[in-house]
Amino acid sequence: MERILYGDNQFFAVNHISDSKSREQAMKFKDNSAIIKTLDFAIDAGIQTFMCTTHDRIAQICDTIRTNPNRYGDFKIYPCMPYAHKYANAVTELGIAGTVKQYVPGNLFGTMFKGGMAFVSKDYLKIMELLIDAEMKMFKGIKTPVIFLQNVITDLLLGLGMVDILKGFYDYVAKKYDAEAGFITMNMPLLLDTLESVGIQNPIICASINKVNFRMSGGKEIYEETLRTRKFRAIAMQVLGGGAIPPKEALEYVCSLPNVESILFGASSKGNIENTVSHINYFDEAKN
Amino acid sequence: MIKVGLIGAGKMGISHLAILGAHPDVKVVGVCDTAKMVVGALEKYSKFTCYSDYRKMLEKEKPDAVFVALPTKFHYNFVKELLQKKIHVFAEKPFCLNPEQGAELKELAKVNGLVNQVGYHNKFIGTFKEVKRLIKGNYLGEIHHFVGEAYGPVVVKKKSDTWRSDPAEGGGCLMDYASHVIDLINDILSPVALAKGTDLKSIYSSNVEDAVYSLLELENGATGILSVNWSDDTYRKMSTSITIMGEKGKIISDANELKVYFKDTDCPTGYSKGWNVKYITDLTDQVDFYLRGEEYSAQVDYFVKAVEGKVPNDINTFESAWLTDRAISIIKTKAKATI
């Protein structure tokens, strides 16, 4: 994985501390051309990996990437699935079974007969595989070397103790997409223990890691201890603590931590993208 | 270690179950649901024991406490039976279909000395907790107006009906969505006493309202506006906010950001004259297991601690949820039928 990964929250009005900021972003990135333009700023700043949710609009971004191989030939996407709100809103309205029926491709009588069979036989891993395939469709022809499970699903399965599903995800993305599984979580130490318990060694884990202890379940100390003493490939996200820490200070902290392989950040302006990249490079060089 | 059972493994039930499953003081002794798909998945992949008959679960597992996450129309009967069996109860919101049912349950819980809590999770959000502290400390002086709002994209086109679109089952924007805002107003300011006028508007639904607009008067005499719309897809997810205007200043708060304006220097520690902005990151306590927001874990943890006797059972009690049911009933009675 590259040291710096570019995220997509800003494109889809995800802002953890301000609803009005979130609305401004929705306006700014109304057109896909605005997203592409900002992605280009990131590429020009030396970033080659875009970590994004499987939001409907990403499908259109993928079209642009596919049709411009000269510009985006080395560009990689790390898909994060599922786009949770799509399902959350559906569950509120249709219930759990209704949602699965809506989103598993095909129907009982359709061409995707195996989907129907999976329902009847309660083959849940097969249902999961069909959902993964549905989410992955938009990335066809694009390099996706790491595929992530979103934190709301990772952490739900973690709390429910459904570790075989986590393992099923890991195995399936390797088999079908020749990709490594990544897990986004708000409960990093617990997840690492759990993944190791089903034989997943040195997993890719993306977690909230920041100076102000924001969304670091159990506390910063146990996160730092885990980074120091355990073997896994950490991606730090929410490094700005939702905007609570000045960028330079925030990045200095994260760059100083051992075992953080990559840093994920999102920014919506050219200046902020360039500043973030140069801060990370500066602190990395100072460390070496 | 307390023994906890869960009845109803839908969206909220599963969420509670994952949080309970990760709680160090809880042993989940049983999960009950009639949906074969969910129970099938839990039986196959989780460590929980599943039941389709809740009475069997109660008899066999003898839980100390039970989470009831069923559609509202079932709350009264289930909660009553649990209380009669001397079991502590956490129930999902809204509490009951009418205030008469809630009044009976709150008394039953009181008489039996049982811990009782309802899932109005906004009360565990740092910004709203701080708003309450500022109001109860009288830092805004006399309140002359408030606006309670919630908007989100639940029903954004015409489509098939579910229980959420059946008013007899607790569906509709008023019970399902506006209840959160009403509950906050009740708790932070004063219980709703009167609705001077209400508009319940249907936008995409055929049987229930998709928006609630009401002019309210509270028991303390303050008046204000309730404006809630669950058919607003300019919001990515539910956004709840409260604005309070007082003689000494003004508060605007949502779940992420708290903005407070003080007219002069007479303000609490940490604030100064003029605008003050605080973020949820400053106001949130860390949780041990995070799923969808600190408040979901915090409310479960609070209930567990109340059962253990470590905290008083004084947040989101049946009593407070009953006041919210009562306000819903008041607002409905004054509603002009536009559906």
mmCIF file with all atom_site columns, all heavy atoms in Angstrom, chain A residues 1-24:
data_model
loop_
_atom_site.group_PDB
_atom_site.id
_atom_site.type_symbol
_atom_site.label_atom_id
_atom_site.label_alt_id
_atom_site.label_comp_id
_atom_site.label_asym_id
_atom_site.label_entity_id
_atom_site.label_seq_id
_atom_site.pdbx_PDB_ins_code
_atom_site.Cartn_x
_atom_site.Cartn_y
_atom_site.Cartn_z
_atom_site.occupancy
_atom_site.B_iso_or_equiv
_atom_site.pdbx_formal_charge
_atom_site.auth_seq_id
_atom_site.auth_comp_id
_atom_site.auth_asym_id
_atom_site.auth_atom_id
_atom_site.pdbx_PDB_model_num
ATOM 1   N N   . MET A 1 1  ? 0.846   -1.192 0.000  1.00 0.00 ? 1  MET A N   1
ATOM 2   C CA  . MET A 1 1  ? 0.000   0.000  0.000  1.00 0.00 ? 1  MET A CA  1
ATOM 3   C C   . MET A 1 1  ? 0.884   1.245  0.000  1.00 0.00 ? 1  MET A C   1
ATOM 4   O O   . MET A 1 1  ? 1.944   1.264  0.611  1.00 0.00 ? 1  MET A O   1
ATOM 5   C CB  . MET A 1 1  ? -0.888  -0.011 1.239  1.00 0.00 ? 1  MET A CB  1
ATOM 6   C CG  . MET A 1 1  ? -1.924  -1.143 1.251  1.00 0.00 ? 1  MET A CG  1
ATOM 7   S SD  . MET A 1 1  ? -3.118  -0.990 2.590  1.00 0.00 ? 1  MET A SD  1
ATOM 8   C CE  . MET A 1 1  ? -2.054  -1.205 4.025  1.00 0.00 ? 1  MET A CE  1
ATOM 9   N N   . GLU A 1 2  ? 0.382   2.261  -0.630 1.00 0.00 ? 2  GLU A N   1
ATOM 10  C CA  . GLU A 1 2  ? 1.123   3.514  -0.622 1.00 0.00 ? 2  GLU A CA  1
ATOM 11  C C   . GLU A 1 2  ? 0.975   4.199  0.732  1.00 0.00 ? 2  GLU A C   1
ATOM 12  O O   . GLU A 1 2  ? 0.057   3.913  1.492  1.00 0.00 ? 2  GLU A O   1
ATOM 13  C CB  . GLU A 1 2  ? 0.581   4.446  -1.710 1.00 0.00 ? 2  GLU A CB  1
ATOM 14  C CG  . GLU A 1 2  ? 1.019   4.015  -3.102 1.00 0.00 ? 2  GLU A CG  1
ATOM 15  C CD  . GLU A 1 2  ? 0.374   4.880  -4.159 1.00 0.00 ? 2  GLU A CD  1
ATOM 16  O OE1 . GLU A 1 2  ? 0.766   6.052  -4.248 1.00 0.00 ? 2  GLU A OE1 1
ATOM 17  O OE2 . GLU A 1 2  ? -0.516  4.386  -4.854 1.00 0.00 ? 2  GLU A OE2 1
ATOM 18  N N   . ARG A 1 3  ? 1.916   5.103  0.997  1.00 0.00 ? 3  ARG A N   1
ATOM 19  C CA  . ARG A 1 3  ? 1.918   5.793  2.286  1.00 0.00 ? 3  ARG A CA  1
ATOM 20  C C   . ARG A 1 3  ? 0.669   6.673  2.452  1.00 0.00 ? 3  ARG A C   1
ATOM 21  O O   . ARG A 1 3  ? 0.092   6.781  3.514  1.00 0.00 ? 3  ARG A O   1
ATOM 22  C CB  . ARG A 1 3  ? 3.185   6.655  2.388  1.00 0.00 ? 3  ARG A CB  1
ATOM 23  C CG  . ARG A 1 3  ? 3.271   7.524  3.624  1.00 0.00 ? 3  ARG A CG  1
ATOM 24  C CD  . ARG A 1 3  ? 3.362   6.702  4.891  1.00 0.00 ? 3  ARG A CD  1
ATOM 25  N NE  . ARG A 1 3  ? 3.724   7.521  6.028  1.00 0.00 ? 3  ARG A NE  1
ATOM 26  C CZ  . ARG A 1 3  ? 3.563   7.128  7.296  1.00 0.00 ? 3  ARG A CZ  1
ATOM 27  N NH1 . ARG A 1 3  ? 3.045   5.934  7.552  1.00 0.00 ? 3  ARG A NH1 1
ATOM 28  N NH2 . ARG A 1 3  ? 3.914   7.903  8.289  1.00 0.00 ? 3  ARG A NH2 1
ATOM 29  N N   . ILE A 1 4  ? 0.265   7.329  1.355  1.00 0.00 ? 4  ILE A N   1
ATOM 30  C CA  . ILE A 1 4  ? -0.869  8.259  1.464  1.00 0.00 ? 4  ILE A CA  1
ATOM 31  C C   . ILE A 1 4  ? -2.024  7.787  0.581  1.00 0.00 ? 4  ILE A C   1
ATOM 32  O O   . ILE A 1 4  ? -1.844  7.528  -0.615 1.00 0.00 ? 4  ILE A O   1
ATOM 33  C CB  . ILE A 1 4  ? -0.449  9.689  1.051  1.00 0.00 ? 4  ILE A CB  1
ATOM 34  C CG1 . ILE A 1 4  ? 0.809   10.113 1.823  1.00 0.00 ? 4  ILE A CG1 1
ATOM 35  C CG2 . ILE A 1 4  ? -1.578  10.663 1.303  1.00 0.00 ? 4  ILE A CG2 1
ATOM 36  C CD1 . ILE A 1 4  ? 1.347   11.486 1.435  1.00 0.00 ? 4  ILE A CD1 1
ATOM 37  N N   . LEU A 1 5  ? -3.173  7.653  1.185  1.00 0.00 ? 5  LEU A N   1
ATOM 38  C CA  . LEU A 1 5  ? -4.376  7.257  0.453  1.00 0.00 ? 5  LEU A CA  1
ATOM 39  C C   . LEU A 1 5  ? -5.374  8.415  0.495  1.00 0.00 ? 5  LEU A C   1
ATOM 40  O O   . LEU A 1 5  ? -5.521  9.078  1.525  1.00 0.00 ? 5  LEU A O   1
ATOM 41  C CB  . LEU A 1 5  ? -5.014  6.014  1.101  1.00 0.00 ? 5  LEU A CB  1
ATOM 42  C CG  . LEU A 1 5  ? -4.079  4.849  1.443  1.00 0.00 ? 5  LEU A CG  1
ATOM 43  C CD1 . LEU A 1 5  ? -4.850  3.768  2.203  1.00 0.00 ? 5  LEU A CD1 1
ATOM 44  C CD2 . LEU A 1 5  ? -3.459  4.262  0.179  1.00 0.00 ? 5  LEU A CD2 1
ATOM 45  N N   . TYR A 1 6  ? -6.044  8.606  -0.620 1.00 0.00 ? 6  TYR A N   1
ATOM 46  C CA  . TYR A 1 6  ? -7.007  9.711  -0.687 1.00 0.00 ? 6  TYR A CA  1
ATOM 47  C C   . TYR A 1 6  ? -8.427  9.154  -0.527 1.00 0.00 ? 6  TYR A C   1
ATOM 48  O O   . TYR A 1 6  ? -8.812  8.207  -1.197 1.00 0.00 ? 6  TYR A O   1
ATOM 49  C CB  . TYR A 1 6  ? -6.843  10.418 -2.036 1.00 0.00 ? 6  TYR A CB  1
ATOM 50  C CG  . TYR A 1 6  ? -7.665  11.680 -2.180 1.00 0.00 ? 6  TYR A CG  1
ATOM 51  C CD1 . TYR A 1 6  ? -7.503  12.740 -1.292 1.00 0.00 ? 6  TYR A CD1 1
ATOM 52  C CD2 . TYR A 1 6  ? -8.599  11.800 -3.205 1.00 0.00 ? 6  TYR A CD2 1
ATOM 53  C CE1 . TYR A 1 6  ? -8.257  13.895 -1.422 1.00 0.00 ? 6  TYR A CE1 1
ATOM 54  C CE2 . TYR A 1 6  ? -9.355  12.959 -3.337 1.00 0.00 ? 6  TYR A CE2 1
ATOM 55  C CZ  . TYR A 1 6  ? -9.181  14.005 -2.449 1.00 0.00 ? 6  TYR A CZ  1
ATOM 56  O OH  . TYR A 1 6  ? -9.929  15.146 -2.565 1.00 0.00 ? 6  TYR A OH  1
ATOM 57  N N   . GLY A 1 7  ? -9.187  9.744  0.382  1.00 0.00 ? 7  GLY A N   1
ATOM 58  C CA  . GLY A 1 7  ? -10.530 9.238  0.676  1.00 0.00 ? 7  GLY A CA  1
ATOM 59  C C   . GLY A 1 7  ? -11.621 10.043 -0.014 1.00 0.00 ? 7  GLY A C   1
ATOM 60  O O   . GLY A 1 7  ? -11.345 11.015 -0.728 1.00 0.00 ? 7  GLY A O   1
ATOM 61  N N   . ASP A 1 8  ? -12.856 9.660  0.201  1.00 0.00 ? 8  ASP A N   1
ATOM 62  C CA  . ASP A 1 8  ? -13.953 10.265 -0.578 1.00 0.00 ? 8  ASP A CA  1
ATOM 63  C C   . ASP A 1 8  ? -15.057 10.929 0.248  1.00 0.00 ? 8  ASP A C   1
ATOM 64  O O   . ASP A 1 8  ? -16.047 11.391 -0.303 1.00 0.00 ? 8  ASP A O   1
ATOM 65  C CB  . ASP A 1 8  ? -14.589 9.217  -1.487 1.00 0.00 ? 8  ASP A CB  1
ATOM 66  C CG  . ASP A 1 8  ? -15.423 8.201  -0.720 1.00 0.00 ? 8  ASP A CG  1
ATOM 67  O OD1 . ASP A 1 8  ? -15.206 8.057  0.510  1.00 0.00 ? 8  ASP A OD1 1
ATOM 68  O OD2 . ASP A 1 8  ? -16.283 7.553  -1.325 1.00 0.00 ? 8  ASP A OD2 1
ATOM 69  N N   . ASN A 1 9  ? -14.894 10.975 1.578  1.00 0.00 ? 9  ASN A N   1
ATOM 70  C CA  . ASN A 1 9  ? -15.970 11.535 2.409  1.00 0.00 ? 9  ASN A CA  1
ATOM 71  C C   . ASN A 1 9  ? -16.428 12.920 1.944  1.00 0.00 ? 9  ASN A C   1
ATOM 72  O O   . ASN A 1 9  ? -17.622 13.210 1.901  1.00 0.00 ? 9  ASN A O   1
ATOM 73  C CB  . ASN A 1 9  ? -15.523 11.651 3.874  1.00 0.00 ? 9  ASN A CB  1
ATOM 74  C CG  . ASN A 1 9  ? -15.777 10.364 4.635  1.00 0.00 ? 9  ASN A CG  1
ATOM 75  O OD1 . ASN A 1 9  ? -16.395 9.445  4.094  1.00 0.00 ? 9  ASN A OD1 1
ATOM 76  N ND2 . ASN A 1 9  ? -15.315 10.294 5.856  1.00 0.00 ? 9  ASN A ND2 1
ATOM 77  N N   . GLN A 1 10 ? -15.440 13.754 1.580  1.00 0.00 ? 10 GLN A N   1
ATOM 78  C CA  . GLN A 1 10 ? -15.788 15.123 1.204  1.00 0.00 ? 10 GLN A CA  1
ATOM 79  C C   . GLN A 1 10 ? -16.684 15.176 -0.026 1.00 0.00 ? 10 GLN A C   1
ATOM 80  O O   . GLN A 1 10 ? -17.463 16.106 -0.193 1.00 0.00 ? 10 GLN A O   1
ATOM 81  C CB  . GLN A 1 10 ? -14.506 15.955 0.985  1.00 0.00 ? 10 GLN A CB  1
ATOM 82  C CG  . GLN A 1 10 ? -13.640 15.547 -0.203 1.00 0.00 ? 10 GLN A CG  1
ATOM 83  C CD  . GLN A 1 10 ? -12.823 14.282 0.057  1.00 0.00 ? 10 GLN A CD  1
ATOM 84  O OE1 . GLN A 1 10 ? -12.771 13.773 1.168  1.00 0.00 ? 10 GLN A OE1 1
ATOM 85  N NE2 . GLN A 1 10 ? -12.172 13.776 -0.980 1.00 0.00 ? 10 GLN A NE2 1
ATOM 86  N N   . PHE A 1 11 ? -16.598 14.159 -0.877 1.00 0.00 ? 11 PHE A N   1
ATOM 87  C CA  . PHE A 1 11 ? -17.407 14.177 -2.095 1.00 0.00 ? 11 PHE A CA  1
ATOM 88  C C   . PHE A 1 11 ? -18.878 13.864 -1.826 1.00 0.00 ? 11 PHE A C   1
ATOM 89  O O   . PHE A 1 11 ? -19.756 14.189 -2.616 1.00 0.00 ? 11 PHE A O   1
ATOM 90  C CB  . PHE A 1 11 ? -16.869 13.174 -3.121 1.00 0.00 ? 11 PHE A CB  1
ATOM 91  C CG  . PHE A 1 11 ? -15.467 13.467 -3.585 1.00 0.00 ? 11 PHE A CG  1
ATOM 92  C CD1 . PHE A 1 11 ? -14.587 12.433 -3.869 1.00 0.00 ? 11 PHE A CD1 1
ATOM 93  C CD2 . PHE A 1 11 ? -15.033 14.774 -3.742 1.00 0.00 ? 11 PHE A CD2 1
ATOM 94  C CE1 . PHE A 1 11 ? -13.291 12.705 -4.298 1.00 0.00 ? 11 PHE A CE1 1
ATOM 95  C CE2 . PHE A 1 11 ? -13.748 15.054 -4.171 1.00 0.00 ? 11 PHE A CE2 1
ATOM 96  C CZ  . PHE A 1 11 ? -12.868 14.010 -4.443 1.00 0.00 ? 11 PHE A CZ  1
ATOM 97  N N   . PHE A 1 12 ? -19.113 13.151 -0.719 1.00 0.00 ? 12 PHE A N   1
ATOM 98  C CA  . PHE A 1 12 ? -20.477 12.701 -0.468 1.00 0.00 ? 12 PHE A CA  1
ATOM 99  C C   . PHE A 1 12 ? -21.064 13.287 0.811  1.00 0.00 ? 12 PHE A C   1
ATOM 100 O O   . PHE A 1 12 ? -21.877 12.662 1.496  1.00 0.00 ? 12 PHE A O   1
ATOM 101 C CB  . PHE A 1 12 ? -20.530 11.171 -0.470 1.00 0.00 ? 12 PHE A CB  1
ATOM 102 C CG  . PHE A 1 12 ? -20.021 10.621 -1.775 1.00 0.00 ? 12 PHE A CG  1
ATOM 103 C CD1 . PHE A 1 12 ? -18.891 9.824  -1.823 1.00 0.00 ? 12 PHE A CD1 1
ATOM 104 C CD2 . PHE A 1 12 ? -20.649 10.956 -2.970 1.00 0.00 ? 12 PHE A CD2 1
ATOM 105 C CE1 . PHE A 1 12 ? -18.405 9.366  -3.040 1.00 0.00 ? 12 PHE A CE1 1
ATOM 106 C CE2 . PHE A 1 12 ? -20.165 10.501 -4.187 1.00 0.00 ? 12 PHE A CE2 1
ATOM 107 C CZ  . PHE A 1 12 ? -19.039 9.707  -4.228 1.00 0.00 ? 12 PHE A CZ  1
ATOM 108 N N   . ALA A 1 13 ? -20.625 14.472 1.124  1.00 0.00 ? 13 ALA A N   1
ATOM 109 C CA  . ALA A 1 13 ? -21.208 15.234 2.221  1.00 0.00 ? 13 ALA A CA  1
ATOM 110 C C   . ALA A 1 13 ? -21.107 14.532 3.570  1.00 0.00 ? 13 ALA A C   1
ATOM 111 O O   . ALA A 1 13 ? -21.958 14.672 4.429  1.00 0.00 ? 13 ALA A O   1
ATOM 112 C CB  . ALA A 1 13 ? -22.667 15.566 1.912  1.00 0.00 ? 13 ALA A CB  1
ATOM 113 N N   . VAL A 1 14 ? -20.020 13.751 3.727  1.00 0.00 ? 14 VAL A N   1
ATOM 114 C CA  . VAL A 1 14 ? -19.803 13.125 5.029  1.00 0.00 ? 14 VAL A CA  1
ATOM 115 C C   . VAL A 1 14 ? -18.873 14.030 5.817  1.00 0.00 ? 14 VAL A C   1
ATOM 116 O O   . VAL A 1 14 ? -17.721 14.220 5.449  1.00 0.00 ? 14 VAL A O   1
ATOM 117 C CB  . VAL A 1 14 ? -19.151 11.737 4.906  1.00 0.00 ? 14 VAL A CB  1
ATOM 118 C CG1 . VAL A 1 14 ? -18.950 11.117 6.278  1.00 0.00 ? 14 VAL A CG1 1
ATOM 119 C CG2 . VAL A 1 14 ? -19.998 10.837 4.032  1.00 0.00 ? 14 VAL A CG2 1
ATOM 120 N N   . ASN A 1 15 ? -19.405 14.628 6.861  1.00 0.00 ? 15 ASN A N   1
ATOM 121 C CA  . ASN A 1 15 ? -18.591 15.483 7.704  1.00 0.00 ? 15 ASN A CA  1
ATOM 122 C C   . ASN A 1 15 ? -18.962 15.187 9.147  1.00 0.00 ? 15 ASN A C   1
ATOM 123 O O   . ASN A 1 15 ? -20.127 15.216 9.496  1.00 0.00 ? 15 ASN A O   1
ATOM 124 C CB  . ASN A 1 15 ? -18.844 16.959 7.359  1.00 0.00 ? 15 ASN A CB  1
ATOM 125 C CG  . ASN A 1 15 ? -17.861 17.857 8.059  1.00 0.00 ? 15 ASN A CG  1
ATOM 126 O OD1 . ASN A 1 15 ? -17.889 17.977 9.280  1.00 0.00 ? 15 ASN A OD1 1
ATOM 127 N ND2 . ASN A 1 15 ? -16.975 18.460 7.308  1.00 0.00 ? 15 ASN A ND2 1
ATOM 128 N N   . HIS A 1 16 ? -17.955 14.848 9.943  1.00 0.00 ? 16 HIS A N   1
ATOM 129 C CA  . HIS A 1 16 ? -18.264 14.361 11.286 1.00 0.00 ? 16 HIS A CA  1
ATOM 130 C C   . HIS A 1 16 ? -18.537 15.457 12.302 1.00 0.00 ? 16 HIS A C   1
ATOM 131 O O   . HIS A 1 16 ? -18.953 15.178 13.408 1.00 0.00 ? 16 HIS A O   1
ATOM 132 C CB  . HIS A 1 16 ? -17.154 13.433 11.778 1.00 0.00 ? 16 HIS A CB  1
ATOM 133 C CG  . HIS A 1 16 ? -17.010 12.221 10.930 1.00 0.00 ? 16 HIS A CG  1
ATOM 134 N ND1 . HIS A 1 16 ? -17.982 11.254 10.875 1.00 0.00 ? 16 HIS A ND1 1
ATOM 135 C CD2 . HIS A 1 16 ? -16.055 11.850 10.059 1.00 0.00 ? 16 HIS A CD2 1
ATOM 136 C CE1 . HIS A 1 16 ? -17.604 10.320 10.012 1.00 0.00 ? 16 HIS A CE1 1
ATOM 137 N NE2 . HIS A 1 16 ? -16.450 10.652 9.508  1.00 0.00 ? 16 HIS A NE2 1
ATOM 138 N N   . ILE A 1 17 ? -18.263 16.708 11.953 1.00 0.00 ? 17 ILE A N   1
ATOM 139 C CA  . ILE A 1 17 ? -18.521 17.717 12.979 1.00 0.00 ? 17 ILE A CA  1
ATOM 140 C C   . ILE A 1 17 ? -19.465 18.832 12.559 1.00 0.00 ? 17 ILE A C   1
ATOM 141 O O   . ILE A 1 17 ? -19.870 19.615 13.388 1.00 0.00 ? 17 ILE A O   1
ATOM 142 C CB  . ILE A 1 17 ? -17.216 18.343 13.548 1.00 0.00 ? 17 ILE A CB  1
ATOM 143 C CG1 . ILE A 1 17 ? -16.367 18.926 12.423 1.00 0.00 ? 17 ILE A CG1 1
ATOM 144 C CG2 . ILE A 1 17 ? -16.442 17.339 14.377 1.00 0.00 ? 17 ILE A CG2 1
ATOM 145 C CD1 . ILE A 1 17 ? -15.246 19.793 12.953 1.00 0.00 ? 17 ILE A CD1 1
ATOM 146 N N   . SER A 1 18 ? -19.839 18.904 11.293 1.00 0.00 ? 18 SER A N   1
ATOM 147 C CA  . SER A 1 18 ? -20.692 20.029 10.932 1.00 0.00 ? 18 SER A CA  1
ATOM 148 C C   . SER A 1 18 ? -21.669 19.700 9.811  1.00 0.00 ? 18 SER A C   1
ATOM 149 O O   . SER A 1 18 ? -21.277 19.314 8.711  1.00 0.00 ? 18 SER A O   1
ATOM 150 C CB  . SER A 1 18 ? -19.813 21.218 10.520 1.00 0.00 ? 18 SER A CB  1
ATOM 151 O OG  . SER A 1 18 ? -20.590 22.182 9.846  1.00 0.00 ? 18 SER A OG  1
ATOM 152 N N   . ASP A 1 19 ? -22.955 19.848 10.111 1.00 0.00 ? 19 ASP A N   1
ATOM 153 C CA  . ASP A 1 19 ? -23.984 19.618 9.103  1.00 0.00 ? 19 ASP A CA  1
ATOM 154 C C   . ASP A 1 19 ? -23.939 20.691 8.017  1.00 0.00 ? 19 ASP A C   1
ATOM 155 O O   . ASP A 1 19 ? -24.226 20.418 6.856  1.00 0.00 ? 19 ASP A O   1
ATOM 156 C CB  . ASP A 1 19 ? -25.378 19.616 9.741  1.00 0.00 ? 19 ASP A CB  1
ATOM 157 C CG  . ASP A 1 19 ? -25.693 18.267 10.380 1.00 0.00 ? 19 ASP A CG  1
ATOM 158 O OD1 . ASP A 1 19 ? -24.780 17.411 10.426 1.00 0.00 ? 19 ASP A OD1 1
ATOM 159 O OD2 . ASP A 1 19 ? -26.830 18.065 10.830 1.00 0.00 ? 19 ASP A OD2 1
ATOM 160 N N   . SER A 1 20 ? -23.563 21.924 8.402  1.00 0.00 ? 20 SER A N   1
ATOM 161 C CA  . SER A 1 20 ? -23.552 22.975 7.384  1.00 0.00 ? 20 SER A CA  1
ATOM 162 C C   . SER A 1 20 ? -22.373 22.785 6.432  1.00 0.00 ? 20 SER A C   1
ATOM 163 O O   . SER A 1 20 ? -22.482 22.999 5.235  1.00 0.00 ? 20 SER A O   1
ATOM 164 C CB  . SER A 1 20 ? -23.551 24.366 8.020  1.00 0.00 ? 20 SER A CB  1
ATOM 165 O OG  . SER A 1 20 ? -22.470 24.508 8.875  1.00 0.00 ? 20 SER A OG  1
ATOM 166 N N   . LYS A 1 21 ? -21.248 22.319 6.969  1.00 0.00 ? 21 LYS A N   1
ATOM 167 C CA  . LYS A 1 21 ? -20.090 21.999 6.128  1.00 0.00 ? 21 LYS A CA  1
ATOM 168 C C   . LYS A 1 21 ? -20.475 20.878 5.158  1.00 0.00 ? 21 LYS A C   1
ATOM 169 O O   . LYS A 1 21 ? -20.116 20.894 3.981  1.00 0.00 ? 21 LYS A O   1
ATOM 170 C CB  . LYS A 1 21 ? -18.931 21.562 7.039  1.00 0.00 ? 21 LYS A CB  1
ATOM 171 C CG  . LYS A 1 21 ? -17.610 21.326 6.338  1.00 0.00 ? 21 LYS A CG  1
ATOM 172 C CD  . LYS A 1 21 ? -16.748 22.574 6.377  1.00 0.00 ? 21 LYS A CD  1
ATOM 173 C CE  . LYS A 1 21 ? -15.753 22.630 5.255  1.00 0.00 ? 21 LYS A CE  1
ATOM 174 N NZ  . LYS A 1 21 ? -14.564 22.154 5.151  1.00 0.00 ? 21 LYS A NZ  1
ATOM 175 N N   . SER A 1 22 ? -21.191 19.938 5.681  1.00 0.00 ? 22 SER A N   1
ATOM 176 C CA  . SER A 1 22 ? -21.623 18.810 4.880  1.00 0.00 ? 22 SER A CA  1
ATOM 177 C C   . SER A 1 22 ? -22.505 19.274 3.715  1.00 0.00 ? 22 SER A C   1
ATOM 178 O O   . SER A 1 22 ? -22.372 18.803 2.590  1.00 0.00 ? 22 SER A O   1
ATOM 179 C CB  . SER A 1 22 ? -22.325 17.831 5.827  1.00 0.00 ? 22 SER A CB  1
ATOM 180 O OG  . SER A 1 22 ? -23.307 17.123 5.199  1.00 0.00 ? 22 SER A OG  1
ATOM 181 N N   . ARG A 1 23 ? -23.370 20.249 3.974  1.00 0.00 ? 23 ARG A N   1
ATOM 182 C CA  . ARG A 1 23 ? -24.233 20.765 2.911  1.00 0.00 ? 23 ARG A CA  1
ATOM 183 C C   . ARG A 1 23 ? -23.414 21.531 1.862  1.00 0.00 ? 23 ARG A C   1
ATOM 184 O O   . ARG A 1 23 ? -23.634 21.379 0.665  1.00 0.00 ? 23 ARG A O   1
ATOM 185 C CB  . ARG A 1 23 ? -25.326 21.664 3.491  1.00 0.00 ? 23 ARG A CB  1
ATOM 186 C CG  . ARG A 1 23 ? -26.347 22.091 2.424  1.00 0.00 ? 23 ARG A CG  1
ATOM 187 C CD  . ARG A 1 23 ? -27.494 22.904 2.980  1.00 0.00 ? 23 ARG A CD  1
ATOM 188 N NE  . ARG A 1 23 ? -28.270 22.182 3.952  1.00 0.00 ? 23 ARG A NE  1
ATOM 189 C CZ  . ARG A 1 23 ? -28.342 22.506 5.249  1.00 0.00 ? 23 ARG A CZ  1
ATOM 190 N NH1 . ARG A 1 23 ? -27.685 23.540 5.719  1.00 0.00 ? 23 ARG A NH1 1
ATOM 191 N NH2 . ARG A 1 23 ? -29.076 21.799 6.075  1.00 0.00 ? 23 ARG A NH2 1
ATOM 192 N N   . GLU A 1 24 ? -22.450 22.306 2.341  1.00 0.00 ? 24 GLU A N   1
ATOM 193 C CA  . GLU A 1 24 ? -21.569 23.025 1.397  1.00 0.00 ? 24 GLU A CA  1
ATOM 194 C C   . GLU A 1 24 ? -20.869 22.044 0.461  1.00 0.00 ? 24 GLU A C   1
ATOM 195 O O   . GLU A 1 24 ? -20.715 22.305 -0.734 1.00 0.00 ? 24 GLU A O   1
ATOM 196 C CB  . GLU A 1 24 ? -20.472 23.773 2.160  1.00 0.00 ? 24 GLU A CB  1
ATOM 197 C CG  . GLU A 1 24 ? -20.896 25.104 2.732  1.00 0.00 ? 24 GLU A CG  1
ATOM 198 C CD  . GLU A 1 24 ? -19.862 25.622 3.736  1.00 0.00 ? 24 GLU A CD  1
ATOM 199 O OE1 . GLU A 1 24 ? -18.653 25.363 3.554  1.00 0.00 ? 24 GLU A OE1 1
ATOM 200 O OE2 . GLU A 1 24 ? -20.287 26.262 4.709  1.00 0.00 ? 24 GLU A OE2 1
#
